[in-house]
Amino acid sequence: EKVELYERKAGEEITEQMYNFTDKEGAKVTLRPEMTPSLARMVLQLMRSETGDIAAMLPLKWYSIPQCWRFETTQRGRKREHYQWNMDMVGVQGIVAEAELLSAVVAFFESVGITSKEVGLKVNSRKVLGAVLEKAGVPGAKFAETCVIIDKLDKIGAEAVEKELTQKVGLAVDVGRRIVQATTAKTLEEFAELAGVGESEEVQEMRKLFELAEDYGIADWLQFDASVVRGLAYYTGVVFEGFDKAGVLRAICGGGRYDRLLSLYGSKKEVPCVGFGFGDCVIIELLKEKKVLPEFPATVDYVVAAYNEEMLGKAMRVARLLRQAGKSIDVLPEVAKKVKKAFKYADRVGAERIAFVAPDEWDNGLVRIKDLRSDIAEDLKQQDVPIGDLANIDRYFSKGQVAKAEAAAGEAATS
């Protein structure tokens, strides 16, 4: 991407972590450090320049798993190169969008065996924080920079944050202290009271989000945390962060609402957007920590083995027919005169079945197929399948076919 897509002046870490360079045409470019500005550029390409309307049906619901790069200190759960799952919704103003995305995060955790006892989602709102800062006399132009500084609380501590608020934003010492103190609140009610914003519109919106989470069945995953503001300047509303309740790992994922980002890049209208990023590094560490890292053993539908050199071409024909039937195929690269060798290879690559291409069967228009994994009677695992019917291979090993064969065998035994 072009460097200018990421050049914002709010003191964000990300602007210091880009792998940027000048290309051979003299353009200043960077390896993509995150996906959201790229998504904003893609949405802008759908926008009619005359009116600012988006030439697509809204809302847009997009996801991506891009590769991202950041030049930063490598540590557990943080690398200079990683993949990041993103989900974004464009064109939804209400808090329903946030509820949907939070539910998607929860659904993922549940699908990999992580529970709400192990992981939580801290939720806050920059709108509520904005009301606090406005009441404290922070100019609107300094809002984003103030949020970026507050986001450093966990890294540099309250005292250092207060110092930066005073020196960089120009707040009075007591105002900076009051803001930092308000971020220690652990409930929305406590935060509203400490900050002196009462039952404002911003507070009511947050309350609505927790009500929707209750109805959605994900309320046990969510907790209000006023210290979560996220370190990117473009967030404008609800922000959230996945965290390890054991306190061992850094943030697992994070996101929020960014209604003004497209305006920064030239949109004539403010376009409501909300999304999250979920990197692969921390979740891998979490799955290892909780001992639920899934295994993905090598598997293939069929190994095709030729009996001798003369049958190699025939074996390749069988492989092609099976691939055309939608099967994954591994052709044994050597002849398999010794059946044991073919079985050993099939077991190593995790094959479900093996197809033997041998002269006797081939001369009769057949291929001998053996099932290696199913829990069926041994004498039913092997079938001679017509070459011309390999497209219907599953029919020969279907439950109905096996049941018919077992019934026939039973009748033969009793007659």
Side-chain angles (χ1 to χ4, degrees):
E1 293 284 5
K2 291 183 178 179
V3 166
E4 63 190 36
L5 202 60
Y6 300 92
E7 286 182 330
R8 301 179 292 265
K9 303 185 179 355
E12 299 160 289
E13 267 189 348
I14 198 169
T15 58
E16 304 299 321
Q17 295 173 346
M18 294 189 293
Y19 275 95
N20 54 312
F21 55 95
T22 302
D23 70 13
K24 292 182 179 180
E25 292 181 335
K28 293 182 177 179
V29 295
T30 180
L31 297 179
R32 178 181 51 228
E34 59 144 341
M35 188 62 185
T36 309
S38 299
L39 179 134
R41 176 179 54 73
M42 291 161 68
V43 174
L44 283 172
Q45 288 175 345
L46 297 174
M47 191 172 282
R48 295 190 175 96
S49 56
E50 320 81 48
T51 62
D53 294 330
I54 294 175
M57 188 174 71
L58 296 178
L60 300 176
K61 296 182 179 182
W62 288 356
Y63 81 92
S64 59
I65 308 178
Q67 197 170 8
C68 301
W69 295 263
R70 293 192 187 185
F71 188 79
E72 58 181 342
T73 304
T74 56
Q75 53 188 285
R76 188 184 183 194
R78 178 170 284 205
K79 298 178 181 177
R80 291 182 174 180
E81 177 182 356
H82 68 282
Y83 285 90
Q84 182 171 288
W85 167 40
N86 298 270
M87 285 186 74
D88 294 83
M89 293 178 68
V90 177
V92 182
Q93 291 185 333
I95 205 76
V96 171
E98 282 87 340
E100 276 278 82
L101 291 174
L102 286 165
S103 175
V105 173
V106 168
F108 170 77
F109 282 131
E110 290 175 337
S111 73
V112 294
I114 299 294
T115 71
S116 59
K117 293 179 180 178
E118 298 158 323
V119 166
L121 293 165
K122 295 177 181 177
V123 184
N124 191 16
S125 171
R126 281 199 177 181
K127 286 183 182 178
V128 178
L129 183 60
V132 174
L133 297 179
E134 185 180 357
K135 190 176 177 69
V138 177
K142 292 284 188 179
F143 174 68
E145 185 180 357
T146 303
C147 288
V148 171
I149 292 170
I150 294 171
D151 185 59
K152 299 177 185 176
L153 265 169
D154 285 345
K155 295 177 183 175
I156 63 176
E159 191 175 330
V161 167
E162 288 175 20
K163 189 175 180 181
E164 285 198 19
L165 289 174
T166 303
Q167 295 179 349
K168 294 185 178 181
V169 185
L171 300 184
V173 174
D174 62 317
V175 173
R177 186 173 297 120
R178 190 162 69 248
I179 290 170
V180 171
Q181 185 183 4
T183 62
T184 62
K186 295 303 177 187
T187 66
L188 183 58
E189 291 73 20
E190 183 187 353
F191 182 67
E193 187 179 338
L194 277 172
V197 292
E199 196 64 20
S200 66
E201 184 182 332
E202 297 84 2
V203 171
Q204 288 176 25
E205 183 184 63
M206 278 293 288
R207 205 180 300 286
K208 177 66 176 175
L209 177 60
F210 281 97
E211 288 171 2
L212 287 173
E214 187 73 48
D215 291 336
Y216 227 133
I218 61 171
D220 55 323
W221 290 81
L222 272 58
Q223 68 180 58
F224 177 79
D225 191 325
S227 68
V228 173
V229 294
R230 302 295 294 160
L232 295 169
Y234 52 67
Y235 287 123
T236 56
V238 168
V239 286
F240 54 88
E241 197 170 272
F243 72 102
D244 170 23
K245 288 187 174 180
V248 175
L249 301 168
R250 60 188 294 275
I252 303 165
C253 61
R257 181 167 286 274
Y258 52 98
D259 287 349
R260 297 199 207 47
L261 184 61
L262 269 69
S263 300
L264 289 177
Y265 297 139
S267 171
K268 290 184 177 181
K269 295 181 178 179
E270 192 171 285
V271 181
C273 303
V274 59
F276 66 77
F278 198 129
D280 63 341
C281 298
V282 181
I283 186 62
I284 291 292
E285 294 298 327
L286 180 69
L287 294 174
K288 288 178 182 175
E289 191 79 27
K290 307 302 180 187
K291 295 181 172 53
V292 291
L293 184 67
E295 293 182 5
F296 299 100
T299 60
V300 65
D301 293 332
Y302 288 84
V303 160
V304 178
Y307 176 77
N308 56 30
E309 290 285 342
E310 288 71 30
M311 302 308 295
L312 272 173
K314 312 291 191 298
M316 289 177 179
R317 181 179 168 189
V318 168
R320 175 169 165 74
L321 290 169
L322 288 171
R323 285 185 178 124
Q324 288 176 333
K327 306 303 178 184
S328 58
I329 306 298
D330 188 337
V331 178
L332 184 64
E334 304 170 48
V335 296
K337 214 162 191 177
K338 291 184 178 178
V339 176
K340 186 178 179 183
K341 180 180 180 181
F343 276 118
K344 189 174 181 181
Y345 182 83
D347 188 57
R348 195 169 81 238
V349 299
E352 295 292 322
R353 294 171 188 158
I354 187 166
F356 288 107
V357 184
D360 290 348
E361 288 80 19
W362 188 265
D363 291 343
N364 290 302
L366 301 168
V367 177
R368 181 156 291 176
I369 311 284
K370 180 152 188 179
D371 193 306
L372 304 175
R373 309 287 173 188
S374 298
D375 186 22
I376 55 177
E378 194 64 35
D379 59 331
L380 298 175
K381 286 187 175 183
Q382 187 166 289
Q383 302 282 341
D384 286 342
V385 179
I387 298 164
D389 204 28
L390 286 172
N392 301 307
I393 184 68
D394 287 339
R395 191 175 67 190
Y396 292 85
F397 294 92
S398 67
K399 288 181 180 178
Q401 186 72 11
V402 170
K404 196 184 295 182
E406 286 176 337
E411 287 174 14
T414 55
S415 62

